[in-house]
């Protein structure tokens, strides 16, 4: 008979720093803070909610490289725009997710969309870095745009709330993303004084980030907004009890049991591979970023979306 996962620790609300001029980011976790404790996850940055005034100046992060892992960007409010040296680009708004597989290497730009910049508004987003196993680190880059409508929503038992299954199995529902190894990424909203059980297998790492509200996890530990609850690898399932309405991000997955050497935008298995990545960027092997001005100014209007209202 298996036991439930238990809480190992609750990380405090992290301080905020700016990434580029568009992302006031809290480092929920990074290789420095958790090492490989949450493998296959490497890093979790959370931004907002922050209000940006209307502007005609592009905001965001200019071209930079990645190799050896995936960047997963989840937009809760606002609108972001991406383009990369593999030729992929896209705009994601509330409820949408971009799953970008850097693998052997891309250069990319991460910006507020031009429309959001012009209009101004509230930005709330998360970016998670998911490791790739050694056998896939040098694969060709990939790109999945997971629109809001393509992400299945599970209604939780006892009317506790909903879970959007971005990746991983919430049996019998399968997540929207294709992943190299089993990865869990759930966008969960719970009603106040509700109890919900999350089906996370024995042997998977897992953690719960609180976007808003107050929760009690595993019957033992309370957590408030911007805190991260780290669960044991052993045991299956976890129970969350809410005090208030709550918005949560559940991350987890099967650990990748390989050495991790992380250096800036590169996550490899050895120091030599990091040196190779730095040299390959210097030698132009990540390609170049180019686009026509028409792409910036002649973009067709996107279909109407409902913004704000806590979307
Ligand atoms: Mn990036």
């Amino acid at each position: 008979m298996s036991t439930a996962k238990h809480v190992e620790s609750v990380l405090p609300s992290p301080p905020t720093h700016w990434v580029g001029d568009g992302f006031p980011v809290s480092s929920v976790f990074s290789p420095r803070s958790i090492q490989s404790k949450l493998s296959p996850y490497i890093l979790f940055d959370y931004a907002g909610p922050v209000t940006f005034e209307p502007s005609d100046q592009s905001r965001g992060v200019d071209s930079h490289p990645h190799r050896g892992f995936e960047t997963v960007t989840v937009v809760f409010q606002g609108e972001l725009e991406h383009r990369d040296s593999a030729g992929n680009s896209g705009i994601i708004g509330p409820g949408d997710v971009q799953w970008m597989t850097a693998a052997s290497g891309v250069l990319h730009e991460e910006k507020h969309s031009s429309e959001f910049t012009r209009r101004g508004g509230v930005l709330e987003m998360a970016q998670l870095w998911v490791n790739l196993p050694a056998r896939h680190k040098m694969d060709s880059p990939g790109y999945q745009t997971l629109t809001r409508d393509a992400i299945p929503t599970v209604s939780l038992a006892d009317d506790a709330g909903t879970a959007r299954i971005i990746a991983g199995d919430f049996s019998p529902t399968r997540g929207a993303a294709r992943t190299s190894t089993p990865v869990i990424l759930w966008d969960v909203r719970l009603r106040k004084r509700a109890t919900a059980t999350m089906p996370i297998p024995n042997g998977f790492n897992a953690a719960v980030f609180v976007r808003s509200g107050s929760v009690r996890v595993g019957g033992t530990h309370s957590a408030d907004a911007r805190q991260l609850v780290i669960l044991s690898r052993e045991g299956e399932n976890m129970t969350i009890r809410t005090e208030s309405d709550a918005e949560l991000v559940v991350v987890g997955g099967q650990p990748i049991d390989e050495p991790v050497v992380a250096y800036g935008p590169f996550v490899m298995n050895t120091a030599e591979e990091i040196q190779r990545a730095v040299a390959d960027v210097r030698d132009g092997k990540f390609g170049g970023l180019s686009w026509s001005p028409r792409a910036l100014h002649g973009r067709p209007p996107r279909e109407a979306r409902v913004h704000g209202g806590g979307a």
Side-chain angles (χ1 to χ4, degrees):
M1 193 55 222
S2 62
T3 56
K5 290 184 180 297
H6 63 267
V7 174
E8 292 209 334
S9 58
V10 179
L11 299 191
S13 170
T16 297
H17 64 278
W18 283 82
V19 173
D21 60 2
F23 304 105
V25 157
S26 298
S27 174
V28 177
F29 61 78
S30 67
R32 191 168 299 178
S33 64
I34 53 142
Q35 288 85 41
S36 57
K37 178 79 196 81
L38 289 174
S39 172
Y41 281 92
I42 300 162
L43 174 148
F44 184 164
D45 277 351
Y46 172 72
V50 172
T51 301
F52 285 86
E53 297 303 318
S55 173
D56 53 10
Q57 301 288 329
S58 152
R59 294 182 181 120
V61 188
D62 290 328
S63 177
H64 59 279
H66 291 293
R67 174 180 280 179
F69 63 102
E70 307 183 283
T71 66
V72 179
T73 306
V74 182
V75 175
F76 299 105
Q77 303 182 66
E79 195 173 72
L80 302 180
E81 184 173 330
H82 160 104
R83 61 169 59 81
D84 69 39
S85 55
N88 295 303
S89 63
I91 294 179
I92 54 172
D96 299 336
V97 175
Q98 175 207 80
W99 199 290
M100 199 275 292
T101 304
S104 61
V106 297
L107 296 172
H108 75 165
E109 280 186 349
E110 300 169 89
K111 303 277 191 179
H112 297 192
S113 75
S114 50
E115 187 190 335
F116 178 72
T117 303
R118 257 197 319 276
R119 200 180 51 230
V122 177
L123 178 70
E124 182 188 6
M125 51 85 68
Q127 185 170 93
L128 300 118
W129 291 10
V130 177
N131 206 1
L132 289 169
R135 68 182 184 281
H136 288 304
K137 281 185 181 291
M138 293 303 283
D139 286 356
S140 297
Y143 190 84
Q144 301 171 69
T145 300
L146 310 173
T147 60
R148 182 175 47 185
D149 295 346
I151 298 169
T153 299
V154 172
S155 294
L156 302 173
D158 303 323
D159 201 27
T162 58
R164 298 175 67 239
I165 312 303
I166 299 165
D169 286 348
F170 197 114
S171 188
T173 300
R174 311 203 61 180
R178 293 185 308 276
T179 61
S180 290
T181 61
V183 176
I184 283 172
L185 180 55
W186 300 335
D187 171 13
V188 177
R189 288 133 214 265
L190 299 179
R191 299 181 209 293
K192 68 177 164 189
R193 289 189 284 283
T195 302
T197 299
M198 302 284 138
I200 302 176
N202 184 32
F204 275 35
N205 288 326
V208 181
F209 176 68
V210 182
R211 283 172 55 214
S212 69
S214 296
V215 299
R216 193 162 174 81
V217 180
T220 56
H221 289 66
S222 295
D224 297 318
R226 293 172 182 253
Q227 292 190 314
L228 181 81
V229 182
I230 299 180
L231 293 146
S232 60
R233 193 173 284 187
E234 323 77 63
E236 64 183 332
N237 303 340
M238 85 167 145
T239 301
I240 303 174
R241 168 91 189 154
T242 60
E243 315 289 337
S244 62
D245 287 352
E247 297 173 301
L248 313 170
V249 179
V250 176
V251 298
Q254 183 177 294
I256 297 172
D257 190 18
E258 296 173 348
V260 173
V261 181
Y263 176 76
F266 310 118
V267 180
M268 303 300 291
N269 301 112
T270 68
E272 289 72 25
E273 289 168 342
I274 294 289
Q275 288 159 12
R276 166 54 60 92
V278 172
D280 285 352
V281 170
R282 185 193 59 216
D283 296 344
K285 292 185 181 167
F286 279 47
L289 253 190
S290 62
W291 64 91
S292 102
R294 187 183 300 259
L296 279 180
H297 300 296
R299 187 181 303 108
R302 60 197 305 255
E303 62 193 65
R305 279 187 180 287
V306 178
H307 286 276

